[in-house]
Amino acid sequence: MQTDLSRKLGIEHAIFGFTPFPAVAAAISRAGGFGVLGAVRYTAPDELARDLDWMQEHVDDRPYGLDVVMPAKKIEGVSEADVEAMIPESHRQFVKDTLGKYGVPELAEGEASGWRITGWMEQVARNQLDVAFGYPIKLLANALGSPPADVIRRAHDQDVLVAALAGSARHARKHADAGIDIVVAQGYEAGGHTGEIASMVLTPEAVEAVAPLPVLAAGGIGSGEQIAAAFALGAQGVWLGSLWLTTTEADMHSRALTEKLLAAGSGDTVRSRALTGKPARQLRTEWTDAWDDPSGPGTLPMPLQGLLVAEAVSRIQKYEVQALLGTPVGQIVGRMNSERSVQAVFDDLTRGFERAIDRVNRIAGRD
């Protein structure tokens, strides 16, 4: 699965794997793809440095990258405490009432909630970059559009390619104008933050909009046949995220959540603002239903919603409250019905790709 972009990066397969787990990212790179570590959960620079140290020791000198959540526009003089103070008391009460309805226990006294959406903040993201640029990363991807111009310049000065996610051809053109190197065309089917255009429509539109910049297809891709289809639409690679959640290297910290993913079908996700305040595809649960119910208070804009629900999400995950337990994941979850190693996933992808190419060759009379 070679393209001009994969050859430029020195990887065997034009498969870019986004994941929050260092072990998965390293395994993707070792398997011949390009592992991309998600940085949004790292609130302390030393935590990110620790995991990048680990990756350096486990990628077998293969290339890898980092994905950050960084706004293009700088927000001056706003602290996390300032943002917390903007959250209405009615929304805090709604969270309390919903957790009480399902009997979700409190965290132990003094126990801090886990994951919080703080990577959107200018300084948090820049601290992550200060760490990352001390390592030989080959790609910096941004999940909130194009990074600020000075960040793009800094990356290019260190021979690091810059990618940005786009949900429309218009977004893709804005990224190209900003000077990024790779557009990730993320379709409606994708897990996490996503737009409203399906990947089959979006990919060729983005390819045409930014040519000759390379485009990676994302959203609803989980087989070698689908990778071949993405290449046929003009993509120079694929960006896969959800598919790695049920690999043996993934550290989900919850057997119950893994089992929900394995049992879910492609229709068991919903695009909801419940997690961050921006539309994000995730498992549909009683939690997402509560926030999407018109009788409720409605979600808050990003980042207020993420800060509001951070402790609640930690409690739901810690106590594995089945009805509320969920995670960002795409519609490809319907294919994620067994636990396999990253290498086994790659083996399956390459076999499917070969089958698709053989099929097309037969149709074209080239067999």
Side-chain angles (χ1 to χ4, degrees), residues 78-87 92 120-121 303-304 307:
V78 179
S79 68
E80 186 174 333
D82 293 332
V83 176
E84 289 265 17
M86 301 177 190
I87 298 173
R92 296 186 188 277
W120 69 276
M121 290 180 164
L304 299 180
L307 293 173

Side-chain angles (χ1 to χ4, degrees), residues 184-197:
V184 181
Q186 180 164 282
Y188 173 82
E189 310 94 326
H193 295 137
T194 185
E196 299 180 347
I197 304 173

Side-chain angles (χ1 to χ4, degrees), residues 43 45 48 122-132:
T43 56
L48 177 59
E122 177 80 10
Q123 196 53 53
V124 172
R126 288 187 179 276
N127 288 343
Q128 292 170 348
L129 295 178
D130 287 342
V131 171

Side-chain angles (χ1 to χ4, degrees), residues 170-183:
R170 179 176 60 85
H171 291 156
R173 282 190 290 269
K174 288 180 65 176
H175 297 336
D177 292 342
I180 63 96
D181 307 288
I182 302 168
V183 170

Side-chain angles (χ1 to χ4, degrees), residues 92-110:
R92 296 186 188 277
Q93 187 63 46
F94 181 76
V95 170
K96 183 177 179 180
D97 291 345
T98 304
L99 295 178
K101 177 181 177 181
Y102 292 92
V104 183
E106 298 275 357
L107 295 176
E109 185 175 353

